[in-house]
Amino acid sequence: MNVPSYSSDDAPVPTGMVVIERAITPLDLGPKFNRTAADVVRFMMQQGEMVTATQSLSDELIEAFAKDLDAEVKLVDPGEEQEVELRKMLGFEDEDDASEDDAPIRPPVITVMGHVDHGKTKLLDNIRRANVVEGEAGGITQHIGAYQTVRGGNTLTFIDTPGHEAFTAMRSRGAQATDIVILVVAADDGMMPQTIEALNHAKAANVPIVVAINKIDRENANVNRVMTQLAEHELIPESFGGDTIVQEISALQGIGIDDLLDQLVVVAELEDLRADPNERAQGVVLESNLDIGRGPVATVLVQEGTLRVGDPMVSGAAWGRVRALINDKGENVKEAAPSTPVQVLGLSDVAEAGDDFVIAPSEKVASKVADTREHWHRQSSLGRDSSATSGGARLEDIFEQIQRGEAANLNLIIKADVNGSLEAVTDSLRKLETPEVKPIFVHRGVGGITENDIALAAASNATIIGFNVRPDRKARETAESENVEIRTYEIIYKLLEDIESAMVGMLAPEFEEIVTGDAEVREIFTVPKIGKIAGCYVQNGVITRNSKVRFIREGTIIWKGEVKSLRRFKEDAREVAAGYECGIGLSDFQDLKDGDTIETYEEREIERSIS
Ligand code: GDP
């Protein structure tokens, strides 16, 4: 890239606020201030930053550049400007026209937050169960990411994100769609780091907090100590003369839950939450995944208006006419009013958890908006790719680069089973950023690792991280020939640990999993006393009894276990080779379907050499 060498130091700087997209390059930044790319690069050098004209700049550098010119700058996320246009196209330009004052009351949306193991999941389960007792026939069977319960004629909506602690990231996102936060603190443990983090999230979102002191059934429960700690964090309990509602509960024994629900009803009344059910529906995506039979499935929370089957929906780059709506009881419904969570079928693509959705005036507009975003995403990720290629390193080489005193970009491609884990993995990885190493996400997606991912990794010098997903055989072969590293994980902490270790040059010896064989499930038999047997056709390698297996459906690991029994015709077999049929008995996993793949593997340690 030729950088013009003349200086334009004297040209006038624009007055007023200059809007700049984050991660802009000197090439694009210069002209915004009537400067050349060379001016920008020279300024960066003076700051001790060696950047090329086509490399992305950090927020700090952009701000420093503007400050040097005495110019005002407003940083926006890529696409934010275009979004304003798209909202207009959707007919939402006059955002705050309708006064909500005379709209009907809507149920509050409640998120449970707190430290790991303090009982968030137990509490959510308890409230869910209580609903079945009070509630309608059939009861709640579905985990769709949120549910509703009724207390004394009042409906309450609970966001019920996955119980895994690494999903705090998702919970904090949930807080944006939340009217009330229940802060769970275990009486025997007191306030802990994640309690405080959750508290800060809720405060930042300006959401009222109801404290539930849980596990009061425990012998070493110390409610008073928790009260004192709360007071120290500006949550002065009512019993101390403050205005923070504190409810003592035992999620395990069901103590205080009804009182807690009553308190929530009171807080909701004070908040006076209203929404007009007669508008076009809008809301937020809570969870989404690709379902084998049903295609993309998104759980959304309706925030305004009423969502109906047949509505043209658009969310991010996904769009479609709503084919079906399924409520938290697994029932098909025709419509969903404000504060109702529903699963939506019919979208073209897996929507992003945390994204907004809206109903477009027509299907045509919905598709146009989605296409524009898609096009725009592609362009911006192309831009990112090129900067990633130039300065990026793989996981294995990152330490060497740091040692040479170079700040390094760690290029990653992240694939995960569902959007929720994709978000959680990315958010956690982003937090590992140090002055020396910056993770760059060349691509992120839901689904198995494909040949396309490998090609992109090879082109952009990236390492592929798979979370609960596997490469198919073709992808594995291409990865080998292209020398692309794929690391797959099923535990998020293990993943983070590995990346952190790589950053300090201590990447642990990897247990390479050598795939020894794979078989396609063609039929399922039930054998009395033994359970389910999968009738399989061995496609590659050899299937051996007792070997470890992964059950894979469309590239996603759905279960892991062992081959418990192996039979050819009626005989027990020690191994069965490719090209033969066999019956595989599975350790306690019974949910196989025909078309699934059973993959067997061995673990072998590979030492890593760090020069
Ligand atoms: P989370 O990580 O906050 O979702 O916590 P969980 O709901 O998974 O609970 C963590 C552990 O605490 C589990 O073993 C629960 O059975 C236990 N637990 C939750 N609530 C109570 C309670 O009220 N009393 C007692 N004794 N144990 C509880």
Side-chain angles (χ1 to χ4, degrees):
M1 164 64 46
N2 277 330
V3 178
S5 58
Y6 60 87
S7 162
S8 49
D9 275 356
D10 299 330
V13 175
T15 53
M17 189 73 79
V18 182
V19 178
I20 301 286
E21 281 192 355
R22 293 204 155 79
I24 196 171
T25 63
L27 201 61
D28 297 329
L29 181 66
K32 297 259 184 195
F33 292 98
N34 239 344
R35 292 290 179 276
T36 64
D39 293 333
V40 182
V41 170
R42 195 174 318 111
F43 173 81
M44 297 304 158
M45 272 163 75
Q46 285 160 3
Q47 308 298 305
E49 295 286 338
M50 305 298 283
V51 292
T52 65
T54 53
Q55 247 171 341
S56 291
L57 297 167
S58 68
D59 290 1
E60 294 77 42
L61 288 175
I62 300 168
E63 277 163 356
F65 182 71
K67 191 156 176 252
D68 189 61
L69 295 173
D70 270 335
E72 273 188 276
V73 63
K74 180 180 168 210
L75 289 168
V76 296
D77 284 331
E80 230 175 85
E81 294 286 283
Q82 285 97 322
E83 275 308 314
V84 176
E85 286 304 305
L86 293 183
R87 298 283 297 178
K88 272 191 201 150
M89 205 148 110
L90 286 161
F92 283 108
E93 66 264 64
D94 36 348
E95 301 277 324
D96 42 21
D97 56 340
S99 125
E100 304 251 288
D101 288 354
D102 36 357
I105 295 280
R106 64 169 176 82
V109 178
I110 300 155
T111 302
V112 179
M113 297 173 94
H115 197 72
V116 59
D117 272 352
H118 280 196
K120 299 179 290 295
T121 312
K122 227 347 159 262
L123 175 61
L124 281 162
D125 286 350
N126 194 303
I127 298 171
R128 177 197 296 272
R129 271 207 315 276
N131 177 288
V132 178
V133 179
E134 193 180 309
E136 311 87 293
I140 296 178
T141 48
Q142 299 268 313
H143 271 266
I144 66 167
Y147 65 83
Q148 288 192 316
T149 190
V150 180
R151 172 73 187 160
N154 299 286
T155 303
L156 307 167
T157 304
F158 285 88
I159 295 189
D160 178 16
T161 45
H164 197 298
E165 270 329 293
F167 287 19
T168 317
M170 276 271 295
R171 281 224 173 83
S172 62
R173 275 187 159 217
Q176 293 165 13
T178 294
D179 303 306
I180 306 170
V181 162
I182 301 179
L183 187 65
V184 175
V185 191
D188 57 345
D189 206 16
M191 290 191 72
M192 298 297 278
Q194 283 171 310
T195 321
I196 295 164
E197 199 182 306
L199 170 66
N200 290 335
H201 274 303
K203 274 193 186 159
N206 202 14
V207 174
I209 298 168
V210 170
V211 178
I213 302 186
N214 189 29
K215 306 197 188 183
I216 54 163
D217 58 293
R218 286 250 167 110
E219 238 171 62
N220 48 349
N222 187 344
V223 171
N224 253 324
R225 184 178 62 135
V226 180
M227 296 270 199
T228 312
Q229 290 174 332
L230 288 168
E232 284 164 6
H233 288 90
E234 295 167 36
L235 287 180
I236 324 259
E238 284 177 322
S239 59
F240 282 24
D243 54 10
T244 300
I245 298 174
V246 178
Q247 180 64 48
E248 296 173 30
I249 63 164
S250 165
L252 188 71
Q253 300 189 351
I255 304 167
I257 307 294
D258 284 349
D259 293 331
L260 178 65
L261 295 177
D262 287 338
Q263 301 277 27
L264 293 166
V265 169
V266 172
V267 176
E269 264 167 27
L270 285 174
E271 291 290 302
D272 194 36
L273 305 161
R274 291 169 189 275
D276 186 352
N278 298 319
E279 289 175 17
R280 259 193 281 149
Q282 296 190 58
V284 61
V285 177
L286 297 175
E287 273 187 22
S288 66
N289 68 307
L290 187 61
D291 187 281
I292 307 310
R294 302 185 295 171
V297 179
T299 297
V300 305
L301 177 72
V302 180
Q303 293 177 305
E304 291 280 340
T306 300
L307 178 62
R308 295 192 175 82
V309 171
D311 279 350
M313 175 183 274
V314 53
S315 175
W319 75 282
R321 190 168 275 283
V322 175
R323 195 169 74 229
L325 294 172
I326 300 159
N327 71 8
D328 55 359
K329 294 164 192 71
E331 303 156 345
N332 273 289
V333 290
K334 288 255 170 316
E335 54 179 44
S339 295
T340 311
V342 270
Q343 279 191 325
V344 174
L345 269 52
L347 287 176
S348 60
D349 233 320
V350 179
E352 290 255 353
D355 263 6
D356 292 341
F357 80 82
V358 297
I359 297 310
S362 70
E363 213 166 328
K364 210 166 137 201
V365 173
S367 100
K368 185 141 185 247
V369 167
D371 281 355
T372 313
R373 286 190 182 130
E374 163 84 49
H375 174 76
W376 189 85
H377 282 317
R378 216 176 312 122
Q379 284 217 319
S380 74
S381 73
L382 278 178
R384 265 203 312 271
D385 286 355
S386 61
S387 75
T389 335
S390 58
R394 295 168 193 239
L395 200 56
E396 346 166 73
D397 312 324
I398 195 89
F399 180 63
E400 273 177 51
Q401 197 160 338
I402 301 169
Q403 276 208 318
R404 287 201 301 268
E406 296 166 20
N409 286 340
L410 176 60
N411 290 346
L412 299 171
I413 290 177
I414 317 281
K415 295 300 292 276
D417 51 346
V418 292
N419 229 312
S421 44
L422 183 65
E423 288 297 322
V425 166
T426 325
D427 277 356
S428 312
L429 283 170
R430 212 173 262 140
K431 290 203 185 113
L432 295 184
E433 179 170 343
T434 65
E436 292 83 27
V437 184
K438 182 181 165 111
I440 301 277
F441 302 102
V442 174
H443 172 65
R444 311 181 312 133
V446 171
I449 299 165
T450 63
E451 264 187 297
N452 278 343
D453 297 322
I454 311 293
L456 183 56
S460 59
N461 217 18
T463 301
I464 298 183
I465 305 279
F467 187 72
N468 278 335
V469 292
R470 303 284 305 163
D472 56 29
R473 175 161 290 271
K474 269 209 163 138
R476 217 161 38 225
E477 282 165 8
T478 326
E480 235 161 70
S481 62
E482 295 279 338
N483 201 17
V484 165
E485 190 183 8
I486 304 176
R487 296 183 77 101
T488 53
Y489 300 88
E490 279 132 54
I491 302 170
I492 197 157
Y493 294 117
K494 187 84 195 52
L495 186 166
L496 296 177
E497 209 174 272
D498 257 21
I499 307 285
E500 269 192 305
S501 315
M503 284 160 58
V504 293
M506 309 229 311
L507 198 57
E510 193 189 356
F511 285 95
E512 189 183 33
E513 293 178 343
I514 311 279
V515 175
T516 48
D518 62 72
E520 188 191 18
V521 178
R522 297 202 163 162
E523 215 172 331
I524 311 284
F525 308 97
T526 306
V527 180
K529 291 202 191 114
I530 295 178
K532 296 245 167 71
I533 299 288
C536 299
Y537 176 77
V538 182
Q539 291 176 309
N540 293 289
V542 179
I543 304 285
T544 314
R545 188 181 328 185
N546 294 335
S547 63
K548 295 188 162 145
V549 290
R550 268 185 290 263
F551 307 125
I552 299 167
R553 189 170 297 162
E554 307 235 322
T556 298
I557 304 171
I558 50 173
W559 193 262
K560 283 177 72 161
E562 274 180 14
V563 172
K564 239 183 167 179
S565 69
L566 185 65
R567 293 197 143 196
R568 263 219 31 85
F569 302 112
K570 293 252 147 79
E571 302 291 312
D572 278 338
R574 215 180 59 76
E575 56 175 52
V576 176
Y580 291 98
E581 289 180 336
C582 63
I584 300 179
L586 310 158
S587 51
D588 65 11
F589 184 65
Q590 306 275 307
D591 187 32
L592 272 190
K593 295 204 169 83
D594 44 331
D596 285 351
T597 302
I598 295 184
E599 183 180 271
T600 59
Y601 63 97
E602 262 169 25
E603 282 179 343
R604 201 182 300 159
E605 189 175 323
I606 5 172
E607 285 298 337
R608 303 197 148 262
S609 58
I610 296 155
S611 47

